[in-house]
Every structure is written in C-alpha cells, then in structure tokens.
Amino acid sequence: MGKASRGKKERSRDKAEQWTATGAARAARRLREQTGRSLAGNSWVQTMLASNIKNVVSELYAVLLHSNLADIADRPGDTARDAAWSMTLGKQGHRPPWPRAAGEAAGWEIRQIEKVLRQAEVLVISPAAHAAVMAAAATLEPADVSTLHRDRDILVPTALLVLPEPVVVVNRTGSLSDIKAFGWQFVTQHQILPTAQYPGVQVTTFMDRDGPVQPTGWRQAVSQARASGSPLPPLMPDGMYGMRGDACLAEESSETLAHLSEFYREMENARAQASQWRAEPVPETGEWGGGRVEDPYDDFVGRYMFAFFRLNSQGITAISSPRATGGTAAGSSDASVPQDPDVRVIRLVTPSPRPSDPAGDTKREYHHRWPVRMHKVRQWYPSRQEHRVIWRGPYIKGPADAPLMMGEKAYLVDS
C-alpha cells in the first residue's frame, strides 16, 4: 500500500530505543486531546469509516445469502441483511433497528469513539510488555477469545492503550495498515434475535496518521483534509470490533474449541472470496524494518486484546503511574518534567517467587522467556472441596529479565 521513507524508519527505531514512561505518557495525552478535537464533525473521518462499514456488511451479506441461513428464512435477503448488520454493529453495541445507510452507522461509531476518548483512562505499554503481548497473542486460536470474562479479565473498563510503535498488519485483501492504539469500553451486544443480548467489549483500532504505511492515496487524503480545514486526527479510527465478554466458551472442551476455530476460519475464507474485488498485491514498505503481522482471518485485534487483558489479570504485567515507575525521563531528576497522573504504564513484572524448594532438591533455572498457550487445569477450590476445570493462559513463563523466545519451542542444552 505504500513505501515508508528511510527517515521514518530511523525515527521509529530511535523512539523505541529511548522509550520512557514519562515521554510515552506525555505523547499519549497529547494524541488523545488532538484526536478528540479533530473528530467532531469531521466529514473525512465519517466517509472513510462509512466505506469500511459498507465493505464489511456487503461481504457478510454475500456470504450469508449463500449459507444455511437462507434455507430457513421466508425472506432470505432480509434475514441475511439483518444478520450482517447484527454481526457488525450489533456486536459493537448498537441496538436494533439497524441504520439505513453506512454513513449513518459511521456517525454512530464516531459518537462511540468520542465517548471513549472523553472517558478513557490512558494507558501506555512498554516495548517489553508489548512484545510479550504479541508473543502470547500468536499462541491463540479464534475460539479462545470467547473464553474472555470481562469482569474478571479486564481491570480497566474504559481505556485508550497507546503502543510504543505501530504494528504493521497485512489485511485479508493484501493491503497494509498500521495500528498505533486501541480504545475499548463495555457494551451490551445485540444479535439478530431480540432477546440475544450479551455482555461485550467494544474495541476500536486507531491508525497512526503519520505512521509507517504511507501510500500515495493516503498522503493525498491527509493533504486534502488539512487544506479543507478538517485535518485527519493523529490517531485515525480504522475499525471497530465487538468481543463477547461472558466467557461463553469457557466450559467447552478443547475439541469443541478447535472445531469452532475451524468454522470461524471457513467463514473468514468465504468473506475473503467475497472481497476479492478489493484484493491487491502485498506491497513493500521500503525501508521499514518493524516487521508485519499476517491477518488473513481478521482476528489479530481480538487476539491481541485478549492476550493483553489476560496478562494483566494474571499479574504478568503491572499497571502503575509514570511517577511510581520513575516518572521523569531516563537518567533525569529534573522535577520540572511534566507528570501525567491520569496515565497508567503497563510493564512486565518479575514472577512471584515460589515457596522454598525442599532441601536437596535441584532448582531449575530458565535462561529465556516464552509464551504458554491456553490450556485446561484442574483447580482445587477449598471452599467447595472439589476440583474444577478452568482455562489458564496465555501467559509468559520465565525470568522477567531473560530474552523472549518467539518460536514454537526453545531448548537449552547445558552441561
């Protein structure tokens, strides 16, 4: 979709190397404020979101119209259209009746985003913690995300998470985009049946307006929007997703989860075929060296957010203020450096030590960290005097200061 300049690559790497809690907090606050001011009444943003919504709903409609859903409905066209809207806006928290046009839906999404920006607690994540989340997300299957329990797993119900650098994503059509931030809030999901309502989480992805992916068309849009007096916000809303938050699959077997994951992939493959008219070759990004995430099944956002929520709730990461983590810039004791008490910093933490090993036992020492996949364990509940099967993971195992191994397995051969 475009080529990033050598200068952009170098700036991004410098920023990652010099990351500090205070600098990240200050930048995140500025991004939120500037984005909030630029969103209100911005026709450029609404047009772009409306185009995204129209594409998604049209592709879902085409798939559902040729699915089993059409065989059980008296008016399959209307049923497929309602189902497509419920699978998009309904999952995002929009209650029926559905909007008449994509522009109306985009206006609703913008109001939701403005609400998140006003009410969100701002979070920044350190490069090490971000790498751990990326590694844990890579171990997840599509159905794993539906084991999320929002009241237990999500410590901050409304937040804006700003990443240390953009994540470059290869979308199903071959186009490139980047993700600089995630915003979320709790919602009630509404599906096609009037009584089908579930606790959910509405997640918005934000692109970096000046990020690594800069195709010619995008640069022209940025320039034209600025010239019109309605500049695009620095955090550009790119998409909105709905995550179910009632742990609906937490009690299912591993076999059932595997089957549901495969069904999800089949559905996404059908959507990919419906979107072939938009397909394009995967372009190079010039000198950009940050790596890419392949997202053929459109599930990277859900996997990243699920891993982020779980790592926080399991104590693998710690949330603290910049002041509590050495709030001034690295190596500086200047009290005049601005503090941002409303911004929280996500860092990796050292795992709690286990009880002392019995005398004479050999203690195992790990020299790396690695992501552990989700798995079931039999947990003993003293109050109930019984074992219950629960899901654990994903999580990061190993010493906090050891290198993170991204492969499937890591072996240490030692004498």
Side-chain angles (χ1 to χ4, degrees):
M1 210 174 141
K3 295 180 182 295
S5 67
R6 180 180 298 273
K8 185 166 291 186
K9 170 191 173 186
E10 297 302 331
R11 286 196 300 274
S12 177
R13 287 182 175 176
D14 289 346
K15 192 181 300 181
E17 291 170 0
Q18 298 175 2
W19 189 93
T20 64
T22 296
R26 188 163 49 234
R29 286 287 295 272
R30 183 174 63 252
L31 286 172
R32 179 179 61 171
E33 293 167 0
Q34 293 176 350
T35 298
R37 289 196 301 267
S38 302
L39 272 180
N42 194 312
S43 59
W44 292 84
V45 176
Q46 184 162 343
T47 298
M48 292 180 184
L49 287 178
S51 177
N52 291 344
I53 294 170
K54 183 178 180 180
N55 288 335
V56 170
V57 173
S58 298
E59 292 161 8
L60 278 172
Y61 173 75
V63 172
L64 294 171
L65 192 59
H66 296 86
S67 69
N68 294 337
L69 184 66
D71 299 333
I72 61 175
D74 296 331
R75 303 174 63 181
D78 292 343
T79 302
R81 188 172 291 103
D82 284 345
W85 279 109
S86 71
M87 292 170 67
T88 52
L89 290 194
K91 289 183 66 175
Q92 297 169 14
H94 192 300
R95 65 174 62 249
W98 313 118
R100 296 183 296 273
E104 185 180 343
W108 175 82
E109 285 192 344
I110 289 177
R111 291 191 294 274
Q112 294 294 303
I113 296 167
E114 290 176 329
K115 178 183 174 184
V116 169
L117 292 174
R118 286 195 307 270
Q119 300 180 359
E121 185 165 355
V122 181
L123 307 176
V124 295
I125 182 169
S126 71
H130 171 60
V133 175
M134 291 287 287
T139 71
L140 294 169
E141 296 292 319
D144 293 337
V145 176
S146 292
T147 66
L148 176 74
H149 191 295
R150 72 180 192 184
D151 295 327
R152 289 198 299 261
D153 292 329
I154 303 180
L155 304 181
V156 183
T158 305
L160 176 70
L161 172 66
V162 180
L163 306 183
E165 65 177 351
V167 176
V168 178
V169 178
V170 182
N171 302 302
R172 78 164 92 242
T173 60
S175 63
L176 296 182
S177 61
D178 58 62
I179 299 176
K180 176 62 177 176
F182 297 95
W184 68 85
Q185 63 178 330
F186 287 0
V187 295
T188 298
Q189 293 185 332
H190 301 270
Q191 293 303 285
I192 191 168
L193 298 176
T195 56
Q197 300 179 6
Y198 314 103
V201 185
Q202 177 195 95
V203 178
T204 301
T205 59
F206 294 89
M207 295 187 296
D208 186 345
R209 181 192 61 196
D210 306 313
V213 180
Q214 292 287 312
T216 302
W218 175 254
R219 291 196 299 268
Q220 291 175 345
V222 172
S223 177
Q224 292 171 0
R226 184 177 293 115
S228 72
S230 298
L232 297 181
L235 293 179
M236 176 65 187
D238 183 37
M240 188 175 285
Y241 301 80
M243 298 177 65
R244 192 160 168 176
D246 60 350
C248 58
L249 298 183
E251 302 298 325
E252 299 294 340
S253 66
S254 301
E255 292 76 14
T256 298
L257 290 180
H259 173 73
L260 291 173
S261 292
E262 185 58 32
F263 179 78
Y264 175 85
R265 293 190 183 97
E266 291 176 1
M267 175 73 173
E268 292 304 312
N269 285 333
R271 283 187 60 193
Q273 294 177 8
S275 64
Q276 280 304 301
W277 64 275
R278 294 192 292 120
E280 56 188 82
V282 178
E284 296 298 328
T285 51
E287 295 295 331
W288 176 253
R292 299 175 178 177
V293 173
E294 300 283 343
D295 193 23
Y297 302 114
D298 195 27
D299 65 343
F300 168 71
V301 172
R303 289 187 289 109
Y304 185 97
M305 294 311 304
F306 181 89
F308 175 81
F309 294 144
R310 276 287 174 90
L311 291 181
N312 283 343
S313 66
Q314 294 175 6
I316 306 301
T317 59
I319 303 179
S320 57
S321 67
R323 184 182 297 274
T325 57
T328 58
S332 172
S333 58
D334 184 0
S336 67
V337 175
Q339 299 296 321
D340 292 279
D342 296 331
V343 179
R344 302 292 179 182
V345 182
I346 311 295
R347 292 183 181 273
L348 279 178
V349 296
T350 303
S352 300
R354 293 185 176 182
S356 300
D357 296 326
D361 284 3
T362 302
K363 203 170 186 179
R364 177 177 295 181
E365 294 186 7
Y366 296 110
H367 300 274
H368 59 270
R369 290 176 296 150
W370 68 98
V372 177
R373 293 178 178 271
M374 284 188 65
H375 58 280
K376 283 186 175 182
V377 297
R378 296 182 71 242
Q379 176 71 45
W380 174 254
Y381 287 83
S383 60
R384 298 173 178 266
Q385 289 296 296
E386 65 178 9
H387 283 92
R388 296 184 63 184
V389 177
I390 63 172
W391 283 93
R392 281 187 180 162
Y395 57 86
I396 305 299
K397 190 169 183 178
D401 56 349
L404 182 64
M405 306 296 290
M406 299 291 288
E408 289 294 319
K409 292 185 178 181
Y411 299 95
L412 173 66
V413 180
D414 202 355
S415 59

